Amino acid sequence: MEAERMNVTMHIIISKPNEEIEVREVEGQNDIYSIMGNDAIMLEMIPELDIYALANENQYEEADYKVESKQFGDLTNKYSLNGTSVILTLDAAGNYAELNDEQIEAVRQLQEVRGGNLNS
């Protein structure tokens, strides 16, 4: 049963420098590891919406800039990304989980406010 769970299809966001975010469907955690490698660090991006980013060492810096959204409230972002990152959420057990439409839209909105990208 556990192995089955690892291969669940879910939507994540790929964020690259100076590019629009890409919503991608992946087949569970193995696909995410193949994008990011096993040593990626989990960063809390938008705490209000349980949105996290996986980024490699030296590819992020603390930012903590505040963005208020009429639709989503506080989109305060804790980090600035400067490499390829995976944006995702976690389930109650702490496993990678699928972003819902609201979370994806919030990341898009944050990207717009930042001038077109999440990565510096």
Side-chain angles (χ1 to χ4, degrees):
M1 200 57 153
E2 189 60 32
E4 231 176 79
R5 198 192 164 321
M6 291 299 189
N7 273 336
V8 64
T9 301
M10 57 186 171
H11 289 94
I12 59 169
I13 290 172
I14 310 292
S15 174
K16 296 181 180 176
N18 303 313
E19 290 185 22
E20 282 192 23
I21 58 173
E22 173 196 347
V23 179
R24 189 184 295 182
E25 194 174 86
V26 295
E27 296 292 329
Q29 299 200 28
N30 291 339
D31 272 6
I32 295 169
Y33 288 136
S34 70
I35 296 165
M36 290 307 303
N38 287 333
D39 53 354
I41 295 164
M42 180 74 74
L43 306 172
E44 191 176 39
M45 291 295 287
I46 308 174
E48 289 281 307
L49 292 173
D50 292 325
I51 294 172
Y52 296 84
L54 282 174
N56 288 314
E57 193 103 52
N58 305 322
Q59 291 196 321
Y60 67 91
E61 57 188 47
E62 289 192 35
D64 204 19
Y65 51 85
K66 302 205 178 302
V67 177
E68 283 293 323
S69 158
K70 285 190 176 83
Q71 193 175 355
F72 302 108
D74 184 4
L75 294 183
T76 297
N77 192 350
K78 297 289 186 187
Y79 294 92
S80 177
L81 308 170
N82 55 28
T84 297
S85 306
V86 170
I87 314 290
L88 39 67
T89 190
L90 301 175
D91 65 16
N95 297 311
Y96 301 151
E98 175 170 58
L99 291 165
N100 63 36
D101 291 345
E102 182 183 51
Q103 289 167 315
I104 290 169
E105 192 50 45
V107 173
R108 280 194 210 284
Q109 216 171 90
L110 183 62
Q111 182 188 39
E112 282 171 23
V113 171
R114 293 269 342 257
N117 61 4
L118 290 176
N119 304 56
S120 52

